């Protein structure tokens, strides 16, 4: 069974701080996606990474796919209150099925 | 609207009753997914439709759960004889399935929050 573990589970920081969240598995994935979910809404895709070692930047967010394609990280620089939400990673092994991680709940305080 | 819609947004039911949850995907999206999200947790895969066919029903928790899709459009998830452990948010997502699954983006609806008393 493929599992994706995310850490930390909860994170509360002050506006302006930097943070990193992790997504780890013992399985290899063809691609990995990161989503952000706000209360009362469905998840929204932030990025897809497909190449081992790949780094993608989206404004203040930096996503990295591990060399072995088993893990990924999301780094946020100078967090803002608008970054608050549940961050989910989702792995795909080349089929229709996506395995979602356990989630990291981020709260950024003003 | 252009996005995925789900109805009802909230459903409170009594244990033992049947419920039907509806998903209207983005027009033209051939793939449709149902997920369950328990409070504070990630998404649990339930079922996948390609067109009107469901090649993978392995995620359905029990035979009380069933789903169908018609016209390559609307999908309904039915839960019979609801139990308290069925309480969760049920999310639907649709996708324009391309030749490479890895790049597919799932567009999610806002979910239906089901509470079984």
């Amino acid at each position: 069974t493929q599992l994706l573990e995310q850490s930390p589970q909860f994170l509360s920081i002050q506006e302006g701080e930097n943070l990193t969240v992790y997504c780890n598995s013992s399985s290899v994935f063809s691609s990995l996606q990161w989503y952000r979910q706000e209360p009362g809404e469905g998840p929204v895709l932030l990025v897809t990474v497909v190449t081992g070692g790949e780094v993608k930047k989206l404004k203040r967010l930096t996503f990295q796919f591990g060399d072995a394609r088993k893990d990924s990280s999301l780094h946020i620089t100078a967090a803002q209150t608008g970054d608050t939400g549940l961050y989910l990673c989702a792995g795909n092994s080349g089929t229709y099925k996506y395995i979602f991680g356990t989630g990291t709940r981020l709260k950024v305080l003003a | 609207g252009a996005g995925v819609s789900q109805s009802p947004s909230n459903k409170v039911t009594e244990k033992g009753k049947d419920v039907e949850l509806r998903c209207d995907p983005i027009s033209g999206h051939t793939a449709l997914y149902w997920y369950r999200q328990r409070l504070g947790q990630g998404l649990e895969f339930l079922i996948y439709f390609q067109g009107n066919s469901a090649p993978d029903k392995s995620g359905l928790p029990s035979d009380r759960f069933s789903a169908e899709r018609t016209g390559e459009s609307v999908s309904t998830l039915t839960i019979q004889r609801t139990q308290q452990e069925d309480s969760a948010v049920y999310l639907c997502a649709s996708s324009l399935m391309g030749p490479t699954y890895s790049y597919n983006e799932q567009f999610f609806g806002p979910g239906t929050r089901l509470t079984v008393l």
Side-chain angles (χ1 to χ4, degrees), chain B residues 15-56:
Chain B
K15 178 181 171 181
K17 294 284 177 82
D18 298 351
V19 295
E20 193 171 276
L21 313 180
R22 177 187 169 108
C23 172
D24 285 85
I26 293 172
S27 178
H29 280 194
T30 55
L32 187 145
Y33 297 79
W34 282 98
Y35 295 91
R36 179 168 68 180
Q37 186 174 32
R38 290 204 164 104
L39 187 62
Q41 298 187 18
L43 274 62
E44 176 188 2
F45 169 83
L46 296 179
I47 190 169
Y48 159 76
F49 286 92
Q50 179 57 40
N52 293 331
S53 300
D56 186 353

Side-chain angles (χ1 to χ4, degrees), chain A residues 30-90:
Chain A
S30 301
S31 67
L32 201 132
Q33 298 179 325
W34 284 91
Y35 288 81
R36 180 170 65 212
Q37 183 180 22
E38 299 189 24
E41 299 180 10
V44 175
L45 181 67
L46 296 173
V47 77
T48 300
V49 285
V50 296
T51 305
E54 181 177 3
V55 176
K56 277 192 174 178
K57 292 194 175 183
L58 184 67
K59 298 183 180 178
R60 294 176 294 99
L61 279 59
T62 302
F63 304 86
Q64 183 162 11
F65 201 11
D67 290 342
R69 291 185 287 131
K70 291 183 179 181
D71 53 80
S72 181
S73 63
L74 158 59
H75 182 79
I76 301 179
T77 304
Q80 300 176 356
T81 55
D83 296 327
T84 293
L86 177 67
Y87 288 82
L88 295 159
C89 61

Side-chain angles (χ1 to χ4, degrees), chain B residues 84-111:
Chain B
Q84 288 182 332
E85 66 260 27
D86 299 334
S87 295
V89 175
Y90 289 83
L91 290 161
C92 171
S94 71
S95 176
L96 186 61
M97 198 60 79
T100 306
Y101 289 106
S102 296
Y103 285 99
N104 289 321
E105 177 176 359
Q106 294 180 73
F107 293 85
F108 284 85

